[in-house]
Amino acid sequence: MKKPGEVFADASVYDPGIEAIVPRYDELHDAILNAPPHDRSDEIRVLELGAGTGELTAKLLTRFPNSSVRVVDHSDQMLGQAEQKLDTFGDRATLETGAFPDDYPEETGEYDLVVSSLAVHHLDEDQKQELFDAVHESLAPGGWFINGDVVQFDAPHLEALSGDMIENWVRSKGWQEEDFMDEWEASDDYDNPSTLTDQLVWLRESGFDAVTSIWQYYNFAVYGGQKGE
Ligand SMILES: C[S@@+](CC[C@H](N)C(=O)[O-])C[C@H]1O[C@@H](n2cnc3c(N)ncnc32)[C@H](O)[C@@H]1O
């Protein structure tokens, strides 16, 4: 039985698979990494939620060569892939098995940056709000939370448009619908996307300032906010 967010039964196919089924996957990661105000040389302490195979983690550690990242993910098989990929970064990456929001690290004011990509949409509305509270608590003053994720449209025709866009993307990558539909539909059971508007409101309610959307491509968005100084 797959855990929410594993997407594929076999984690070793995740990297090529996710690029084929998430349009502009690298661009979404770029938007997450472009958003924080930090200089590349800053010694930033980062928490990443749902790092999967460590793709965003590796990009972050490369872009910010003095950063360190603590990763929390509930999938041991995804973390197994991440461990291999991140080995080259030594002790700058720490990997932990845990499910948020319940296992969210308890420190207060510890992180300069909390990031996540394609993971938070598995939580229900209450869990998302609980998570946003926990993220705010864990950030140092001035720290940022940036999330890149699947969002829900209120308008059904825009949901349908997003579905069509994804199918066209998959075909443009040389995949056929039957290559991915079983896996994709099975992971749909765990999906719980909220509207971007609701999430921006919840971030405000959790105490974030400068709450904003940064990037959007159909039902994929990058958004976040800053903890006050
Ligand atoms: C679709 S993958 C995204 C991986 C990576 N961030 C990326 O951009 O490719 C979602 C990841 O989030 C993890 N995940 C989903 N819900 C989680 C939760 N509540 N607690 C911990 N990990 C979770 C899954 O195990 C999976 O590794």
Side-chain angles (χ1 to χ4, degrees):
M1 177 100 166
K2 280 191 288 186
K3 288 195 168 168
E6 285 181 330
V7 186
F8 301 98
D10 173 3
S12 70
V13 305
Y14 177 87
D15 284 357
I18 202 74
E19 291 220 31
I21 59 178
V22 172
R24 304 194 177 196
Y25 174 75
D26 286 321
E27 199 176 307
L28 178 133
H29 280 178
D30 266 351
I32 295 170
L33 298 179
N34 288 339
H38 308 97
D39 289 333
R40 287 185 182 230
S41 58
D42 286 352
E43 288 183 29
I44 50 174
R45 298 156 299 166
V46 185
L47 174 65
E48 184 181 355
L49 304 171
T53 62
E55 194 59 22
L56 178 68
T57 329
K59 290 170 182 167
L60 192 146
L61 288 163
T62 303
R63 182 178 296 217
F64 298 101
N66 296 316
S67 63
S68 57
V69 181
R70 178 178 179 182
V71 157
V72 179
D73 196 295
H74 63 190
S75 167
D76 286 329
Q77 62 156 343
M78 295 289 258
L79 286 178
Q81 297 290 318
E83 201 172 358
Q84 290 175 31
K85 191 180 291 174
L86 301 175
D87 184 51
T88 177
F89 297 101
D91 62 7
R92 290 178 57 211
T94 312
L95 311 187
E96 280 173 34
T97 307
F100 44 82
D102 293 352
D103 299 326
Y104 194 91
E106 280 175 11
E107 299 98 334
T108 298
E110 179 73 14
Y111 299 101
D112 304 301
L113 180 63
V114 177
V115 292
S116 188
S117 161
L118 303 171
V120 173
H121 71 279
H122 298 295
L123 306 181
D124 66 28
E125 293 194 352
D126 289 343
Q127 289 173 319
K128 286 190 191 97
Q129 291 171 72
E130 191 183 327
L131 181 71
F132 293 172
D133 285 348
V135 173
H136 189 267
E137 178 77 21
S138 71
L139 281 167
W144 277 82
F145 172 48
I146 310 288
N147 185 31
D149 214 347
V150 183
V151 295
Q152 177 84 28
F153 285 115
D154 272 332
H157 77 283
L158 293 178
E159 275 297 300
L161 188 65
S162 296
D164 292 348
M165 178 274 297
I166 290 172
E167 286 186 20
N168 288 336
W169 177 269
V170 170
R171 285 198 201 95
S172 79
K173 292 284 161 186
W175 285 36
Q176 297 303 317
E177 219 170 278
E178 56 270 21
D179 295 337
F180 77 96
M181 261 341 235
D182 287 351
E183 298 265 26
W184 185 247
E185 279 170 6
S187 54
D188 257 12
D189 293 345
Y190 302 118
D191 282 354
N192 228 329
S194 300
T195 65
L196 180 57
T197 311
D198 278 348
Q199 295 182 85
L200 298 179
V201 169
W202 297 335
L203 285 175
R204 274 262 169 89
E205 288 172 357
S206 293
F208 283 94
D209 296 333
V211 169
T212 188
S213 163
I214 297 149
W215 177 95
Q216 185 163 7
Y217 187 68
Y218 293 88
N219 60 335
F220 296 91
V222 174
Y223 62 93
Q226 183 183 30
K227 181 167 178 169
E229 299 281 355

